[in-house]
PDB file of all heavy atoms in Angstrom:
ATOM      1  N   LEU A 197      -9.833  -6.156   5.152  1.00  0.00           N
ATOM      2  CA  LEU A 197      -9.015  -5.185   4.429  1.00  0.00           C
ATOM      3  C   LEU A 197      -9.879  -4.097   3.807  1.00  0.00           C
ATOM      4  O   LEU A 197      -9.549  -2.909   3.884  1.00  0.00           O
ATOM      5  CB  LEU A 197      -8.180  -5.893   3.359  1.00  0.00           C
ATOM      6  CG  LEU A 197      -7.286  -4.989   2.521  1.00  0.00           C
ATOM      7  CD1 LEU A 197      -6.196  -4.371   3.393  1.00  0.00           C
ATOM      8  CD2 LEU A 197      -6.700  -5.757   1.362  1.00  0.00           C
ATOM      9  N   LEU A 198     -10.989  -4.485   3.203  1.00  0.00           N
ATOM     10  CA  LEU A 198     -11.898  -3.494   2.616  1.00  0.00           C
ATOM     11  C   LEU A 198     -12.466  -2.567   3.680  1.00  0.00           C
ATOM     12  O   LEU A 198     -12.593  -1.357   3.466  1.00  0.00           O
ATOM     13  CB  LEU A 198     -13.032  -4.189   1.862  1.00  0.00           C
ATOM     14  CG  LEU A 198     -12.641  -4.849   0.551  1.00  0.00           C
ATOM     15  CD1 LEU A 198     -13.822  -5.627  -0.013  1.00  0.00           C
ATOM     16  CD2 LEU A 198     -12.171  -3.812  -0.447  1.00  0.00           C
ATOM     17  N   TYR A 199     -12.796  -3.111   4.837  1.00  0.00           N
ATOM     18  CA  TYR A 199     -13.315  -2.299   5.934  1.00  0.00           C
ATOM     19  C   TYR A 199     -12.253  -1.316   6.416  1.00  0.00           C
ATOM     20  O   TYR A 199     -12.533  -0.142   6.673  1.00  0.00           O
ATOM     21  CB  TYR A 199     -13.772  -3.201   7.080  1.00  0.00           C
ATOM     22  CG  TYR A 199     -14.380  -2.451   8.225  1.00  0.00           C
ATOM     23  CD1 TYR A 199     -15.657  -1.923   8.133  1.00  0.00           C
ATOM     24  CD2 TYR A 199     -13.672  -2.254   9.402  1.00  0.00           C
ATOM     25  CE1 TYR A 199     -16.224  -1.227   9.184  1.00  0.00           C
ATOM     26  CE2 TYR A 199     -14.220  -1.561  10.457  1.00  0.00           C
ATOM     27  CZ  TYR A 199     -15.495  -1.049  10.341  1.00  0.00           C
ATOM     28  OH  TYR A 199     -16.049  -0.352  11.386  1.00  0.00           O
ATOM     29  N   LEU A 200     -11.005  -1.763   6.535  1.00  0.00           N
ATOM     30  CA  LEU A 200      -9.914  -0.899   6.955  1.00  0.00           C
ATOM     31  C   LEU A 200      -9.699   0.240   5.962  1.00  0.00           C
ATOM     32  O   LEU A 200      -9.557   1.402   6.355  1.00  0.00           O
ATOM     33  CB  LEU A 200      -8.633  -1.709   7.111  1.00  0.00           C
ATOM     34  CG  LEU A 200      -7.361  -0.899   7.400  1.00  0.00           C
ATOM     35  CD1 LEU A 200      -7.427  -0.286   8.791  1.00  0.00           C
ATOM     36  CD2 LEU A 200      -6.134  -1.764   7.241  1.00  0.00           C
ATOM     37  N   LEU A 201      -9.685  -0.088   4.674  1.00  0.00           N
ATOM     38  CA  LEU A 201      -9.499   0.952   3.656  1.00  0.00           C
ATOM     39  C   LEU A 201     -10.643   1.950   3.656  1.00  0.00           C
ATOM     40  O   LEU A 201     -10.435   3.153   3.472  1.00  0.00           O
ATOM     41  CB  LEU A 201      -9.336   0.311   2.276  1.00  0.00           C
ATOM     42  CG  LEU A 201      -8.063  -0.496   2.077  1.00  0.00           C
ATOM     43  CD1 LEU A 201      -8.067  -1.187   0.728  1.00  0.00           C
ATOM     44  CD2 LEU A 201      -6.831   0.373   2.257  1.00  0.00           C
ATOM     45  N   SER A 202     -11.851   1.481   3.877  1.00  0.00           N
ATOM     46  CA  SER A 202     -13.002   2.380   3.953  1.00  0.00           C
ATOM     47  C   SER A 202     -12.867   3.318   5.142  1.00  0.00           C
ATOM     48  O   SER A 202     -13.136   4.518   5.035  1.00  0.00           O
ATOM     49  CB  SER A 202     -14.282   1.556   4.067  1.00  0.00           C
ATOM     50  OG  SER A 202     -15.379   2.379   4.328  1.00  0.00           O
ATOM     51  N   PHE A 203     -12.427   2.794   6.271  1.00  0.00           N
ATOM     52  CA  PHE A 203     -12.238   3.611   7.474  1.00  0.00           C
ATOM     53  C   PHE A 203     -11.164   4.667   7.248  1.00  0.00           C
ATOM     54  O   PHE A 203     -11.329   5.842   7.598  1.00  0.00           O
ATOM     55  CB  PHE A 203     -11.873   2.711   8.653  1.00  0.00           C
ATOM     56  CG  PHE A 203     -11.585   3.458   9.909  1.00  0.00           C
ATOM     57  CD1 PHE A 203     -12.616   4.001  10.658  1.00  0.00           C
ATOM     58  CD2 PHE A 203     -10.280   3.641  10.332  1.00  0.00           C
ATOM     59  CE1 PHE A 203     -12.353   4.700  11.823  1.00  0.00           C
ATOM     60  CE2 PHE A 203     -10.006   4.339  11.490  1.00  0.00           C
ATOM     61  CZ  PHE A 203     -11.046   4.873  12.240  1.00  0.00           C
ATOM     62  N   LEU A 204     -10.051   4.271   6.621  1.00  0.00           N
ATOM     63  CA  LEU A 204      -8.970   5.217   6.351  1.00  0.00           C
ATOM     64  C   LEU A 204      -9.419   6.306   5.386  1.00  0.00           C
ATOM     65  O   LEU A 204      -9.066   7.478   5.548  1.00  0.00           O
ATOM     66  CB  LEU A 204      -7.754   4.482   5.788  1.00  0.00           C
ATOM     67  CG  LEU A 204      -6.993   3.594   6.754  1.00  0.00           C
ATOM     68  CD1 LEU A 204      -5.899   2.839   6.024  1.00  0.00           C
ATOM     69  CD2 LEU A 204      -6.429   4.401   7.904  1.00  0.00           C
ATOM     70  N   ASP A 205     -10.201   5.933   4.391  1.00  0.00           N
ATOM     71  CA  ASP A 205     -10.687   6.899   3.417  1.00  0.00           C
ATOM     72  C   ASP A 205     -11.593   7.927   4.080  1.00  0.00           C
ATOM     73  O   ASP A 205     -11.479   9.127   3.826  1.00  0.00           O
ATOM     74  CB  ASP A 205     -11.422   6.170   2.293  1.00  0.00           C
ATOM     75  CG  ASP A 205     -11.825   7.113   1.175  1.00  0.00           C
ATOM     76  OD1 ASP A 205     -10.996   7.961   0.792  1.00  0.00           O
ATOM     77  OD2 ASP A 205     -12.965   6.994   0.700  1.00  0.00           O
ATOM     78  N   ARG A 206     -12.486   7.477   4.938  1.00  0.00           N
ATOM     79  CA  ARG A 206     -13.387   8.413   5.623  1.00  0.00           C
ATOM     80  C   ARG A 206     -12.609   9.345   6.555  1.00  0.00           C
ATOM     81  O   ARG A 206     -12.939  10.519   6.687  1.00  0.00           O
ATOM     82  CB  ARG A 206     -14.455   7.650   6.409  1.00  0.00           C
ATOM     83  CG  ARG A 206     -15.608   7.227   5.530  1.00  0.00           C
ATOM     84  CD  ARG A 206     -16.710   6.598   6.360  1.00  0.00           C
ATOM     85  NE  ARG A 206     -16.486   5.149   6.325  1.00  0.00           N
ATOM     86  CZ  ARG A 206     -16.459   4.360   7.380  1.00  0.00           C
ATOM     87  NH1 ARG A 206     -16.695   4.837   8.568  1.00  0.00           N
ATOM     88  NH2 ARG A 206     -16.243   3.076   7.250  1.00  0.00           N
ATOM     89  N   GLY A 207     -11.585   8.827   7.191  1.00  0.00           N
ATOM     90  CA  GLY A 207     -10.773   9.666   8.071  1.00  0.00           C
ATOM     91  C   GLY A 207      -9.956  10.689   7.302  1.00  0.00           C
ATOM     92  O   GLY A 207      -9.829  11.851   7.710  1.00  0.00           O
TER      93      GLY A 207
END
Side-chain angles (χ1 to χ4, degrees):
L197 180 66
L198 288 174
Y199 183 75
L200 173 68
L201 293 175
S202 172
F203 177 76
L204 289 175
D205 186 43
R206 277 186 265 130

